[in-house]
Amino acid sequence: PDLLQKAAPPSLCKACARADCVPGKVTMAGVVERRLAQIGVNLPKAAAPAANYVPWRRAGNIVYISGQIPKGEDNQLRLGKLGASCSLDDGKAAARLCGLHLISQMKEACNGDLDKVKQILKIEGFVNSSEDFTDHPQVVNGISDLMVEVFGPEIGSHSRYAVGCSSLPLGVSVEAGAIIEVAAVE
């Protein structure tokens, strides 16, 4: 046999388009939910909107997720201004928390099945920062790294922007939105 011959790609389930699916077998948790459990992540409850908007909006297979702020399990907001009252590590942790809230909204948009997320298309990151702060990309890596960790590089890699702002709602250090592609509605 040719040692350089590539292995055939796994066949995909016709019902859910996953390679790990066993037709007829009901699984309690999907691939993404299992990955979340493996890395020890508990998703927060999807936040209700705080004003006159919706937390996410679907147009065809594209879902637009409204800005999410860093609210911890203790219901405390992660406040501060990067370059002044908030360290780079604090900013990354706040960004990761925003990412968890984004995933919670994705789960809502996918009727509880995160395996329906086909691509993270774009992350929109805003960093509350002082005028001389320039490490916005490092802060927003807190979200980007989480998306790749949870969804894998094929689905989780995305385009993005990391913008510095003079203030954010409620004094939070980071806010983020997202645009994702999801499986077609059956």
Side-chain angles (χ1 to χ4, degrees), residues 32-78:
V32 177
E33 292 286 345
R34 288 193 304 270
R35 193 169 299 129
L36 286 166
Q38 287 172 347
I39 62 175
V41 169
N42 292 316
L43 290 177
K45 185 176 188 251
N52 188 16
Y53 65 92
V54 293
W56 55 269
R57 180 78 173 200
R58 184 175 180 147
N61 290 358
I62 304 299
V63 175
Y64 299 85
I65 302 172
S66 296
Q68 302 295 304
I69 60 176
K71 188 174 191 178
E73 289 181 21
D74 57 2
N75 284 326
Q76 295 296 306
L77 296 174
R78 302 309 186 249

Side-chain angles (χ1 to χ4, degrees), residues 80-157:
K81 187 176 286 286
L82 277 291
S85 61
C86 189
S87 73
L88 182 59
D89 286 340
D90 290 340
K92 285 181 181 178
R96 183 177 173 91
L97 193 50
C98 289
L100 291 173
H101 285 280
L102 287 170
I103 295 170
S104 291
Q105 296 295 352
M106 291 176 202
K107 188 171 181 175
E108 288 290 317
C110 292
N111 295 318
D113 185 359
L114 285 167
D115 289 345
K116 291 183 180 178
V117 174
K118 297 301 172 196
Q119 292 184 76
I120 309 298
L121 298 171
K122 187 174 191 178
I123 297 294
E124 303 162 329
F126 298 92
V127 179
N128 185 356
S129 58
S130 63
E131 196 173 290
D132 59 344
F133 184 77
T134 59
D135 287 332
H136 310 90
Q138 279 63 37
V139 173
V140 179
N141 278 347
I143 302 168
S144 296
D145 294 345
L146 176 68
M147 295 301 155
V148 172
E149 184 179 15
V150 170
F151 292 99
E154 289 296 314
I155 294 171
S157 296

